[in-house]
Amino acid sequence: MAQFLFSVLSASVAVTSAMYSSGDGVVELTPNNFNREVMQSDSLWLVEFYAPWCGHCQALAPEWKKAAKALEGVVKVGAVNTDDHQSLGGQYGIRGFPTIKVFGSNKNSPEDYQGGRTADAIVDGALSKLRSMVKDRLGGRGGSRGSGGGGGSKSGSKDDVVELTDSNFEDLVLNSDDLWMVEFFAPWCGHCKNLAPHWESAASEMKGKAKFGALDATVHSVMANRYGVRGYPTIKMFAAGKKDGEASEYDGGRTSSDIVRWVEEKLAENVPPPEVVQVVSGGILKDNCDKKQLCVISVLPHILDCQSKCRNNYIQILTDMGEKYKKQQWGWIWAEAGAQPDLEGALGIGGFGYPAMAAVNSRKQVYVLLRGPFSEKGINEFLRNLSYGKGSTVPLKNPTIAEIEKTEAWDGKDGELPVEDDIDLSDVDLDDMKDEL
């Protein structure tokens, strides 16, 4: 019986974490393959942006699979798990689930699907879009793909692309602590010429975060041969903290926005988890709130109400959530109940008991309170909604959020009640006291 229950639970977890499989006819899309599969494709694509926990998405899944099977070989059907790939959801402004986008002739301007959610309605809608797409081609209106020599490039500076050679490559790239993107090119290569303005634009946009270089492989063949360059352009990434000259293949699109998005993903993967810091001075609040897009502020119970083991359990939950949402690069701070009364008052914390949490956006001067349980599940749901721009905001009354009182940092120990002084009554003459009374 226990084994049966375990199997049922395992199957349930599998369904909620991965709604589609390779046998469903639905292509699983990620930041690594989206450009190649969708943006560079001549096919019509229907793409569902979903969240595994979403009830409407779970209801749509069997109909989406039926439609994918029926449209196989005619229209491409894909799905993006936005819980796992928030960058793709953000790129297309996804705010609710499921959201279906139609990528037709012009891949840079997808349309929202407005039809029904049954397999029949989805197929009818797809065939209608396909008919329009074919008529556009017949009339010479082919649209544009999302990569190549077309649009999408902002102006950049050639000065932001470092000219690399066999003699300076090791010193500049391999001995650097920065992430490097290196293009191996040939001067006569048409694709390299098309890439050039996008490469310069990406280099300018990523200045200070990553370095961009270009090496003429027809002249500087030592490095080109070392990294197995056989075609042009070939793009390699040399990660920060690289060892033994390791390089990774770039597999994204060829527009500046594609390149920037890909590099930002790689940078985010290597971001260390944020430190959960106790608020003991105004500088800590400023560093973690004013300089961050969002800061998560927790007020934990007083040490006498929640001793070291209890407090460390709460801090561990915050640390785990910081790790999970580290790509957001939020600030994470906490205070002991009663230690920062102005901060609690500014965020309306305390009325619901402790522990409590609020997320503050200092730039927009608003905050959102955690109304659910202060648990891993409750906080995760709260932060997930925030990452999608959801939440009932309250305006801050003070641009600096609150005045912080300078306090001592917690020493990691259990709390102790103050020791009361013993009163020695041995010298007191009780008879004299009676006379006085």
Side-chain angles (χ1 to χ4, degrees):
M1 182 65 179
Q3 181 63 38
F4 172 74
L5 288 174
F6 177 78
S7 301
V8 170
L9 287 171
S10 299
S12 175
V13 170
V15 168
T16 56
S17 61
M19 290 174 59
Y20 302 104
S21 64
S22 57
D24 295 329
V26 178
V27 180
E28 183 182 355
L29 297 169
T30 71
N32 289 334
N33 70 2
F34 196 90
N35 187 75
R36 181 179 68 251
E37 294 285 349
V38 180
M39 303 301 284
Q40 296 183 22
S41 169
D42 289 322
S43 301
L44 176 73
W45 273 86
L46 295 185
V47 178
E48 175 203 2
F49 294 83
Y50 74 93
W53 45 265
C54 161
H56 293 299
C57 303
Q58 294 166 11
L60 174 64
E63 300 299 315
W64 197 245
K65 293 173 187 177
K66 287 180 188 176
K69 286 288 189 182
L71 292 168
E72 203 161 9
V74 180
V75 173
K76 298 279 190 179
V77 177
V80 176
N81 182 341
T82 49
D83 258 12
D84 291 341
H85 309 296
Q86 294 179 13
S87 60
L88 275 179
Q91 181 184 346
Y92 292 103
I94 305 303
R95 291 290 178 266
F97 307 107
T99 293
I100 299 172
K101 296 279 187 181
V102 182
F103 292 79
S105 298
N106 187 350
K107 295 294 192 292
N108 289 315
S109 298
E111 301 175 27
D112 287 328
Y113 171 79
Q114 303 289 356
R117 298 298 173 90
T118 66
D120 286 341
I122 294 165
V123 168
D124 288 343
L127 294 178
S128 175
K129 293 293 183 183
L130 185 62
R131 192 176 297 110
S132 298
M133 184 173 167
V134 172
K135 285 185 177 180
D136 284 345
R137 289 181 181 175
L138 192 62
R141 301 183 298 275
S144 64
R145 299 184 190 179
S147 63
S153 171
K154 303 174 185 176
S155 59
S157 171
K158 290 183 179 180
D159 295 338
D160 293 327
V161 178
V162 180
E163 183 180 351
L164 297 171
T165 66
D166 283 338
S167 59
N168 70 8
F169 195 95
E170 186 165 352
D171 184 46
L172 292 180
V173 179
L174 302 185
N175 294 334
S176 170
D177 291 328
D178 297 307
L179 182 149
W180 273 83
M181 297 295 295
V182 178
E183 175 203 3
F184 295 84
F185 72 94
W188 43 262
C189 161
H191 291 301
C192 303
K193 293 175 182 176
N194 288 336
L195 176 64
H198 295 276
W199 196 245
E200 293 165 7
S201 174
S204 296
E205 190 169 344
M206 296 301 295
K207 193 171 183 178
K209 298 180 181 178
K211 293 190 175 180
F212 281 64
L215 182 141
D216 184 342
T218 63
V219 175
H220 306 286
S221 57
V222 173
M223 284 300 167
N225 289 332
R226 176 174 175 178
Y227 290 101
V229 175
R230 296 290 180 266
Y232 309 110
T234 291
I235 300 173
K236 301 275 187 180
M237 180 194 76
F238 296 81
K242 61 194 79 64
K243 296 179 180 178
D244 302 324
E246 290 181 22
S248 302
E249 200 76 29
Y250 172 79
D251 57 2
R254 297 297 174 90
T255 66
S256 60
S257 58
D258 289 330
I259 297 164
V260 167
R261 185 166 62 251
W262 192 93
V263 175
E264 286 180 336
E265 283 282 334
K266 296 302 177 185
L267 286 170
E269 287 174 6
N270 295 305
V271 169
E275 184 181 0
V276 181
V277 187
Q278 183 182 3
V279 184
V280 293
S281 68
I284 290 174
L285 182 70
K286 185 173 183 179
D287 289 344
N288 287 275
C289 290
D290 291 359
K291 299 179 181 179
K292 304 285 186 179
Q293 178 195 9
L294 205 70
C295 66
V296 182
I297 302 175
S298 300
V299 180
L300 303 183
H302 193 279
I303 193 63
L304 293 176
D305 297 323
C306 174
Q307 294 285 8
S308 59
K309 182 178 179 181
C310 167
R311 177 173 288 184
N312 282 324
N313 285 339
Y314 284 132
I315 293 175
Q316 187 60 52
I317 291 174
L318 298 176
T319 301
D320 292 343
M321 289 295 100
E323 169 73 35
K324 183 169 184 176
Y325 290 91
K326 68 178 184 178
K327 291 184 180 181
Q328 306 288 349
Q329 298 186 37
W330 295 335
W332 291 76
I333 57 179
W334 68 275
E336 182 178 73
Q340 302 296 342
D342 197 42
L343 180 63
E344 291 187 35
L347 301 178
I349 286 177
F352 304 99
Y354 305 103
M357 175 181 285
V360 176
N361 186 322
S362 297
R363 295 171 190 170
K364 294 184 178 180
Q365 288 291 289
V366 295
Y367 68 92
V368 182
L369 274 174
L370 169 68
R371 300 290 185 181
F374 196 100
S375 63
E376 186 169 341
K377 183 177 179 181
I379 295 172
N380 180 52
E381 185 175 342
F382 173 64
L383 298 178
R384 183 176 59 203
N385 286 337
L386 289 178
S387 69
Y388 292 129
K390 296 180 180 179
S392 179
T393 60
V394 180
L396 286 169
K397 297 178 181 178
N398 189 340
T400 60
I401 304 179
E403 291 294 325
I404 299 299
E405 297 184 15
K406 194 170 182 60
T407 58
E408 292 293 325
W410 178 46
D411 59 9
K413 299 178 181 178
D414 284 339
E416 295 181 1
L417 289 169
V419 179
E420 296 182 2
D421 294 334
D422 293 332
I423 302 175
D424 186 2
L425 299 176
S426 60
D427 294 333
V428 176
D429 191 332
L430 295 179
D431 291 332
D432 291 344
M433 291 182 65
K434 288 178 182 179
D435 292 340
E436 291 177 7
L437 292 172

